[in-house]
Amino acid sequence: MRRSSVLFLSIIAALTFHCRVKANDGPVLETTLGSLKGSYLTAEGKETLIHTYLGIPFAKPPVGPLRLAPPQPAETWAGVRDATKQPPMCLQEKQALVDLLANVSMSMEIPEVSEDCLYLNIYTPSKPGDNTKLPVMVFIHGGGFLLGSASISDGHVLAAYQDVVVVLIQYRLGLLGFLSTGDEHAPGNYGLLDQVAALQWVQENIHSFGGDPGLVTIFGESAGGVSVSLHVLSPLSTNLFHYAIAESGTAAMDAIMTPAPLLTAQAIANASGCDVSSTKKIVDCIMELSEEEILRITHDNPLFRFGVATDGQFLPKSPDEILQSHKFNKVPLITGVTNDECGYLLPNFMAGPGWIDGMDREPIMQLLPMFNPDLYDPFLGDIVLNEYMGTTNDRIKIRDGFREMLGDLFFNIPARRTANYHRDSGAPVYMYEFQHPPSILQKRRPSFTGVDHGDELLFVFGSCFGNGHIKLEEKLTEEESELCETLMAYWGNFARTGSPNGPGLTAWPEYKAEAEYLGIGLQQKPDKNFKDKHFTFMTQKLQPIIKERKEGPVVHTKLGSLRGSLQSVKGKETIVRSYLGVPFAKPPVGPLRLARPQPAEPWQGVRDATQQPPICIQDREGLVNELGFFAMSLDVPEASEDCLYVNVYTPSKPGQDTKLPVMVWIHGGGFSLGSASLYEGSVLSAYQNVVVVLIQYRLGLLGFLSTGDEHAPGNYGLLDQVVALQWVQENIHSFGGDPGSVTIFGESAGGISVHLLMLSPLSSGLFHRAIAQSGTALWHGLETTNPLPSAQDVARSSNCDSSDSAGIVDCIMRWSKEEVEKYSNQYKMLHFRMAVDSYFLPRPLKEIIEKQEFSKVPLITGITNDEFGFLLPVYFEGPDVIKGMTKEQATEALNFAYPDPEDRWIRELVANKYIGDTTDPIQIRDIYREMMGDVLFNIPAIKLAKYHKASGTPVYLYEFQQTPSVIKNKRPSFVGVDHADELLFIQGSCFTKAHIKITAPFTQEDEELCRTVMAYWGNFAHTGSPNGPGLAAWPEYGAAGEHLGIGLQQKPGKNLKEKHFSFLTETLPELVRLGREKREHLEL
């Protein structure tokens, strides 16, 4: 029994002795502040014993009155301080760090958070008391200035393999580290000042750990790399270090700065319930918040950005200014990136759920201003997105473009900019791209991920050989172990000599004029022109665009200078320059009312050309209502007599002599409504590389009133169009256009105008191709040889003397603006006819056409398949027309084509042919729609094609067969492709970003048709033929009535509207001839 007790006591004593030996086994070291007891570590593959000292205070705890204050030197302590445990982390959301580490195959015990956190960890191969003077490597952790700690890295392997002293520091984060009010109450940058204090501590104490204070390298990654780069710039850090390594982060990153710190401080104060009336009250209130309240505010407001402030102390000027001045610490520098900086980790944090499966452009656009406030401008944002994603709608391609763009904007381009400034200051620079992803991390990521942000850290710290508190969930491969040794060697050589090169390593070229760098991976590959394409775009090409966008492009014309604006379109990278409200004639006011237009006068200075011009006098309210039929929304300008302006859209830069084809658009609206501002030329300009000109002309009474004599010859609106074309001839070269390649095109009244300009000798030679859409001069009732009765009706309705033309005109000339609007707006479309004025129209239209005395230019003409489907019936007959019609109503509607009261019998002939004996109101309605479409649009278009073909010039006829999806649901189901439905496709509304907003989305099929139609029209403007690569062949119009059906599928056809064409052009004229002969015989 006694022997057993003795044995038991002996065992207890032995265990107690063993425990005492283990407890006292760590190194004890004297510093200027007090003694430290550390612990020992060894790295795999090395026998070197590393002495570790954890949680060493380098500043007073920043608590109480030291919150939001610069750090104060640490105080001395008595006795031996335990330095064997990781220090508390600075205040941050601990769970976010836990989640982050879970993504990088690491496990460790994460310390608690505390404001008392200004500590550092030291790893040294030097024994206490050795005067070894080893190189010192001070690591600054990353984490976006919001997360991180000394404990998430481990320096023992790097210390062992490279025989250096490694120091890992902590600094205040988030609100407590970077809040600034922009004044003396909270200048900000406390976290950076903590880093300065840590470097000062190193200078004063590192010799105690065997380090050389004259050979200090600072290195860091992400926000740590930014910090390193900022210390290079800061006068406070001068002489505190001698070499610098900025990994995946530099001071040239615009996103790190807080341009308006007070706004952030006020937002935080509001979220905290603090008084925001003064900066002092904000700071006083935040000083009273508990740690829990600070963490809650940060958690609840993830959009709060805590960045670096230009505080006048740590940063006396902005980083850009300091870099450009070269007044910074000119120490040897390594800087670089991974090859997929935003491969997975950061997009997973920044992008929305499901981003891995694809992304859309719009959410990405919202992120751009954090890199450059100029990118708040959607135009500029689009330019940047197009550089990386092109114009694709493919969500996978957009996702990958987003990842590349984010990597460039955050890291790659700032790294090269920093390298350039540093090189140009005369200091050595070494640049790298890390090109190998750790195998243990690749398994946790999508397959598209390259070498992600932070991936090099496992190799920089030699995690392949780690035996410390951080455990990797799997071992790295043998090749990766070699890479660990290689990377540590490069970093270690640099810490010793200021150059990464050394025995057994691939030569790392110094960064010089050709942007030389080293690709670091399982094989090291020297290369040149680091990220050259996107770097050139972001630093050279984009800046002039931003400048031009802000200042506006300035073009010089014969009449004066114009300042326009830049526009972009969906699906194209081309930048379009727009010049709005350019005068092409004198304002037709005062004595120039009811007069032929006069050439515009020159102006002095630079004229603003960024606003839509006033529209010509018309029923503006009626115009706004009409827009609802087209699913369009825009601010319609006010109406004015001063309205003779053009809008010009060009892909050509000012001063470029590009000689692009010119397309001059003439709007429709029954010669009573319409304006340039209802249309938008930027998309057609961008997609077809043409200059687009949208013209305005006088409308209604002021544009077409005629007394049939010298007092008011009429056709003023048409003469305005002629003068606009003359302006184009004289000025379009200034916009990059070719005056020898002008295509006029228009729809409805614009199509009629195109045909009339072909017939008028005044416009001969002013254009070279023509497109008349849904409108020609070949319908009964368009022209008049006796306009005086209409003028007399105007006089009587406005209390003017109607007894002679001079009195009528004199009265109208005295009208006020209000009277002009009142009397003009009482007349519907096409009330005023074209006058045979012996000037614009020297003879009746039929005579000009039969004698072929017209401009024989290539022509496109055509119609929609339901020209009188809905829009025009409702306009002329009212909304009840949808419910049905009587035969009498349908017959009366033919007044439009046969206006002579004595021609009622002709109207009845036509109505009987189409309607027959039916009395069903719905059937009559539908027959009326077809009949009116034929009489006013379809048959005249085919007649034009035949006449023009007979003159020996090429003609291309079409029928438009697809309704825009955005309009379809706004109409009754019986409506086909209505009048003007093709316009949204021709002007490329699917892709517009300008002042016209389409109120519903287009389908992919719509977008494809937009491209197709613009291509046909654009080819025609370029060559005189609509045909071109990738398009269905459009047959030239010939004896078989060849035409193209344009829709989701293009369908060549023959003999369009053959049955009714034969009736209206052969049978009816013969019946009219016989009827008139009979009437004449009866009268005799």
Side-chain angles (χ1 to χ4, degrees), residues 754-966:
V754 165
H755 190 195
L756 288 169
L757 289 166
M758 293 167 65
L759 302 179
S760 175
L762 297 186
S763 42
S764 179
L766 297 181
F767 60 93
H768 312 91
R769 301 172 190 99
I771 305 175
Q773 303 166 211
S774 299
T776 77
L778 290 171
W779 53 276
H780 294 284
L782 177 67
E783 66 182 316
T784 177
T785 55
N786 182 25
L788 182 59
S790 287
Q792 289 171 326
D793 286 344
V794 171
R796 284 190 288 269
S797 68
S798 57
N799 299 316
C800 291
D801 182 357
S802 62
S803 59
D804 63 69
S805 56
I808 294 171
V809 172
D810 181 61
C811 181
I812 292 173
M813 291 292 285
R814 293 197 304 271
W815 281 352
S816 66
K817 177 179 182 292
E818 291 72 23
E819 289 173 312
V820 166
E821 291 182 346
K822 174 184 175 183
Y823 297 127
S824 294
N825 293 347
Q826 64 189 8
Y827 300 104
K828 282 201 168 189
M829 291 182 185
L830 293 165
H831 179 84
F832 300 97
R833 310 286 168 137
M834 308 302 116
V836 180
D837 59 355
S838 302
Y839 184 61
F840 181 83
L841 289 178
R843 287 187 297 282
L845 297 174
K846 184 178 180 183
E847 189 176 330
I848 295 171
I849 292 167
E850 287 177 347
K851 292 184 176 181
Q852 295 187 352
E853 295 174 345
F854 51 74
S855 298
K856 297 175 181 66
V857 298
L859 171 71
I860 288 176
T861 191
I863 53 174
T864 67
N865 72 12
D866 196 5
E867 284 284 5
F868 232 74
F870 177 66
L871 183 71
L872 294 174
V874 168
Y875 179 83
F876 287 109
E877 306 296 335
D880 286 344
V881 70
I882 296 171
K883 301 173 184 175
M885 300 179 74
T886 65
K887 186 173 182 180
E888 289 71 22
Q889 286 175 308
T891 304
E892 191 67 21
L894 286 167
N895 275 336
F896 212 69
Y898 307 100
D900 191 326
E902 295 184 4
D903 285 346
R904 179 173 177 79
W905 65 281
I906 300 176
R907 296 194 289 273
E908 290 173 347
L909 273 176
V910 175
N912 287 334
K913 172 65 179 177
Y914 276 84
I915 299 170
D917 297 327
T918 184
T919 58
D920 183 291
I922 297 300
Q923 287 186 21
I924 294 172
R925 176 203 70 193
D926 292 340
I927 294 168
Y928 152 83
R929 291 167 45 238
E930 181 185 20
M931 175 181 73
M932 295 299 289
D934 281 352
V935 169
L936 296 180
F937 300 104
N938 304 337
I939 305 311
I942 299 168
K943 286 171 66 178
L944 169 59
K946 286 184 178 293
Y947 281 127
H948 211 68
K949 183 64 180 177
S951 76
T953 45
V955 180
Y956 299 88
L957 181 67
Y958 72 85
E959 180 184 67
F960 207 81
Q961 299 173 346
Q962 178 65 26
T963 302
S965 60
V966 297

Side-chain angles (χ1 to χ4, degrees), residues 136-293:
V136 181
M137 299 186 71
V138 179
F139 182 72
I140 307 173
H141 70 76
F145 296 124
L146 289 171
L147 299 174
S149 66
S151 56
I152 62 171
S153 300
D154 189 332
H156 77 279
V157 180
L158 183 59
Y161 271 73
Q162 292 305 311
D163 202 29
V164 294
V165 179
V166 177
V167 182
L168 312 179
I169 70 172
Q170 297 193 153
Y171 53 96
R172 282 173 284 180
L173 301 168
L175 187 156
L176 296 181
F178 293 91
L179 177 81
S180 172
T181 55
D183 60 13
E184 72 280 6
H185 297 295
N189 294 345
Y190 306 113
L192 296 168
L193 295 174
D194 294 342
Q195 296 171 16
V196 172
L199 291 175
Q200 290 168 338
W201 185 96
V202 166
Q203 285 298 305
E204 295 166 7
N205 293 278
I206 205 66
H207 65 277
S208 301
F209 301 84
D212 183 354
L215 196 58
V216 175
T217 296
I218 55 174
F219 70 127
E221 186 272 342
S222 193
V226 171
S227 298
V228 165
S229 186
L230 287 169
H231 287 297
V232 171
L233 304 186
S234 176
L236 298 188
S237 311
T238 302
N239 298 324
L240 297 181
F241 63 96
H242 311 91
Y243 309 130
I245 305 175
E247 306 170 26
S248 300
T250 71
M253 291 169 58
D254 292 327
I256 63 162
M257 299 303 295
T258 303
L262 180 56
L263 293 179
T264 302
Q266 289 170 330
I268 292 165
N270 278 322
S272 312
C274 295
D275 186 341
V276 298
S277 61
S278 73
T279 56
K280 184 178 185 304
K281 288 181 178 178
I282 292 173
V283 173
D284 287 346
C285 181
I286 291 174
M287 291 289 286
E288 298 300 320
L289 297 176
S290 67
E291 289 186 0
E292 291 73 23
E293 287 172 315

Side-chain angles (χ1 to χ4, degrees), residues 491-507:
W491 264 232
N493 289 342
F494 186 74
R496 276 183 288 276
T497 68
S499 166
N501 291 303
L505 296 173
T506 300

Side-chain angles (χ1 to χ4, degrees), residues 38 140 155 214 252 280 339 382 389 431 638 647 704 716 805 917:
I140 307 173
K280 184 178 185 304
N339 73 10
D382 259 333
M389 302 161 198
M431 196 161 196
E638 294 301 316
N647 291 347
F704 295 92
Y716 308 114
S805 56
D917 297 327

Side-chain angles (χ1 to χ4, degrees), residues 305-360:
R305 282 180 57 208
F306 302 102
V308 177
T310 304
D311 60 356
Q313 184 182 11
F314 181 82
L315 282 180
K317 295 180 180 178
S318 72
D320 262 353
E321 289 177 287
I322 299 172
L323 285 166
Q324 289 171 25
S325 72
H326 294 166
K327 294 179 179 177
F328 48 74
N329 298 309
K330 298 176 182 65
V331 297
L333 172 71
I334 288 177
T335 191
V337 294
T338 66
N339 73 10
D340 196 6
E341 282 285 4
C342 287
Y344 175 68
L345 186 68
L346 290 174
N348 208 39
F349 175 72
M350 298 179 69
W355 73 274
I356 291 172
D357 300 320
M359 298 182 72
D360 299 312

